[in-house]
Amino acid sequence: MPLASRVFTVALSACALFPAAAFAEPPAPPTQYVIISFDGAQHVEQWQRSRALAERTGATFTYFLSCVYLLSPEHKREYKAPGQKPGKSNVGFATSKEEVAARLEQIWLARSEGHDIGSHACGHFDGSNWSRSDWNDEFKTFRRILENAYAINGIEGEPDGWRHFVDTEIRGFRAPYLSTGKELYQALADSGYAYDASGVSRGPGQPSAEAGLVRFALPQIPEGPKSRPVIAMDYNMFVRHSGGFERDDKDATFENRAYEAFQQAFQSEYNGKHTPLELGFHFTLMNGGAYWRALERFAEDVCGKPGVACVSYRDYVARNPQFSATLKAGG
């Protein structure tokens, strides 16, 4: 038998003996998670716009709600923050009963579409000096106002299951100003929260489970011509780009910088360690809406990629067995 034929025969024999080894597929890379969230969740138009973005991209989002937006002016004294007079809020209240009704409808629609409704507390006060008891009072007030929002404002049409939703599905929290402390984490555990998304990390980092609470952190990501790190949140880019003063982004400079920063952070993980990428936004349109336009471009580009899942914080926790038990513990 010619040499070439003998080599071919030996190769076929090896494949027959070890078929799995010869044709085994390389292991699939881990899922690249992208977690997009919104703080405050005020303006009805932005609820609609974000829900439309989710429908286009297949994403699920987390909405961290401030409960003062569920109180019309005549009912603002229903809220009293620790150490403050009744009816005081750093971010105001709803403008009318009709606005509250429209916002409640958006919350229920978003929840029905699979989005995650979390808590941003109520009046957007810096709770870094609050006690454990203060935080527990704030959490109780949040749940009371959300649960009774229809009744407090005299709005008809409370959906069946609304109160059960408030009692069992509000499991995530982000602190105003990202101000945290030991007392906050103790109160979160007291109040049955499953996760907290108030941290900040040097870059994308893996969440951790501590004392039954999953802790997430918004990453600092490279941004701008000098690739200086900035927290991956629209407000922080707004401060960097225009000093926190509103400017019209006529040439799309701010939008493009934000989009490129999001893409660079994503590609680094997608082609690397596959650490979850967290991005935070508000319902306020800063610098002419530059950061929302960047978000929409980014989500439309990446959420449909193979191996990518754009999910809410709750869905990320539920999908990962090392964390999913926390959702069952308090709900």
Side-chain angles (χ1 to χ4, degrees), residues 276-312:
L277 176 63
E278 303 172 44
L279 303 176
F281 298 86
H282 293 77
F283 272 17
T284 303
L285 295 180
M286 306 168 198
N287 283 340
Y291 310 107
W292 269 69
R293 291 193 297 273
L295 163 64
E296 288 167 327
R297 289 169 56 192
F298 172 76
E300 288 165 355
D301 285 349
V302 309
C303 290
K305 282 182 174 290
V308 176
C310 293
V311 300
S312 66

Side-chain angles (χ1 to χ4, degrees), residues 45-218:
E45 296 82 2
Q46 301 308 106
W47 276 102
Q48 295 168 331
R49 184 174 174 180
S50 61
R51 289 176 46 238
L53 175 62
E55 185 175 6
R56 293 197 303 273
T57 61
T60 57
F61 301 140
T62 293
Y63 297 91
F64 292 112
L65 176 69
S66 297
C67 85
V68 290
Y69 297 138
L70 301 180
L71 295 173
S72 56
E74 60 269 31
H75 298 295
K76 67 181 185 179
R77 291 178 67 84
E78 289 279 343
Y79 173 58
K80 181 185 181 302
Q84 305 290 337
K85 295 179 180 179
K88 185 175 180 181
S89 162
N90 272 351
V91 290
F93 293 85
T95 60
S96 67
K97 169 183 173 178
E98 291 72 24
E99 184 192 295
V100 174
R103 186 169 297 111
L104 288 170
E105 180 184 28
Q106 290 299 312
I107 293 170
W108 190 245
L109 285 170
R111 179 261 181 187
S112 301
E113 292 160 0
H115 298 291
D116 175 24
I117 310 299
S119 170
H120 199 42
C122 287
H124 211 276
F125 290 101
D126 184 344
S128 55
N129 293 319
W130 285 0
S131 67
R132 181 177 182 173
S133 177
D134 290 337
W135 276 114
N136 276 317
D137 287 345
E138 182 81 349
F139 295 150
K140 289 175 184 175
T141 299
F142 175 92
R143 289 184 184 271
R144 176 180 62 80
I145 290 173
L146 183 56
E147 186 175 75
N148 296 283
Y150 285 88
I152 289 171
N153 294 280
I155 298 169
E156 296 182 356
E158 179 181 309
D160 292 338
W162 175 266
R163 292 170 184 266
H164 183 264
F165 149 67
V166 176
D167 287 342
T168 64
E169 295 183 29
I170 310 295
R171 306 299 308 285
F173 179 74
R174 174 171 285 151
Y177 306 107
L178 305 179
S179 293
T180 63
K182 179 179 68 175
E183 292 77 9
L184 167 62
Y185 292 122
Q186 291 171 339
L188 286 168
D190 294 339
S191 298
Y193 283 89
Y195 73 82
D196 171 77
S198 309
V200 176
S201 57
R202 289 185 178 274
Q206 294 289 348
S208 63
E210 300 179 42
L213 186 73
V214 183
R215 295 195 196 179
F216 293 89
L218 286 167

Side-chain angles (χ1 to χ4, degrees), residues 33-52:
Y33 288 102
V34 177
I35 307 174
I36 296 169
S37 59
F38 302 94
D39 290 6
Q42 179 185 13
H43 300 294
V44 171
E45 296 82 2
Q46 301 308 106
W47 276 102
Q48 295 168 331
R49 184 174 174 180
S50 61
R51 289 176 46 238

